[in-house]
Amino acid sequence: MLNTPAAPASITAPPAARHAEGVSNDEFRAAMSRLAAGVVLVTAVEPPLDPEDPGAPAGEDVGMTATAFLSVSLDPPLVLVSLRTGSRMDELLEEQPLWAVSVLSESQRHIAGRFSMKGRVSDRLLFADIPFRRGEYTGAPLVGGALATLECRTEQRVESGDHTLVIGRVMTAAVPSAEGGPLTYFRGRYRQLG
């Protein structure tokens, strides 16, 4: 009998970690990526570091892209946004009850990408060349060219898994632009309808 070298062992990736329910993070992420979602920019103004000191630095505008945003109720008008627990926006909205939402149009993909970057630069630089106006109720940036804008006041916060569900009462709503379609997120990418 000839001595033949053994076939190299095939290298396989370790099995994906499964939760007690039997679904892995990768399986869940892949399944949910097939659900198209609208893209919004959530904004708020960070309060001044020392409101009693007129010389203290003013609060900074903060923004983040979100796809987990939906209408909850018509009467009263309520919306919900899901924030990663411990994120800058989650921590800000824990202390600041006023925030705003700009529903992004298909031509605003660059805005969505800019505010969703990991390890990004300061929010001041992110807002630098984006046209916006300040909301009359919240003072938060409302993006120019957005399909719709809403200003909200937090009604309830619900800790759920690794996210916080923030339910806000809509204080103002406007449809400043009827041009173009919505920006959507599907299978891990920003897309246009059609």
Side-chain angles (χ1 to χ4, degrees), residues 63-190:
M64 67 158 265
T65 303
T67 55
F69 176 77
L70 57 102
S71 168
V72 173
S73 167
L74 183 60
D75 187 16
L78 299 174
V79 293
L80 177 148
V81 65
S82 179
L83 308 173
R84 180 173 293 284
T85 301
S87 67
R88 182 165 185 207
M89 188 62 75
D90 178 43
E91 290 174 355
L92 175 56
L93 294 190
E94 191 169 18
E95 65 179 79
Q96 161 63 285
L98 303 177
W99 45 283
V101 173
S102 297
V103 178
L104 299 180
S105 73
E106 60 194 3
S107 66
Q108 295 177 314
R109 179 183 300 207
H110 64 288
I111 295 172
R114 180 184 292 191
F115 283 90
S116 66
M117 291 186 304
K118 289 182 169 59
R120 62 189 196 199
V121 297
S122 80
D123 285 279
R124 182 173 296 124
L125 294 174
L126 294 176
F127 281 102
D129 61 349
I130 294 175
F132 68 85
R133 67 176 176 81
R134 297 226 171 256
E136 59 189 64
Y137 184 81
T138 62
L142 299 170
V143 176
L147 296 179
T149 59
L150 304 111
E151 293 185 273
C152 307
R153 185 186 70 227
T154 299
E155 293 270 306
Q156 186 177 6
R157 291 172 53 88
V158 179
E159 301 294 323
S160 187
D162 59 3
H163 277 65
T164 303
L165 307 178
V166 180
I167 300 170
R169 181 180 293 248
V170 178
M171 307 308 290
T172 71
V175 183
S177 176
E179 296 301 312
L183 181 61
T184 59
Y185 192 73
F186 180 69
R187 295 184 75 175
R189 294 180 47 209
Y190 295 117

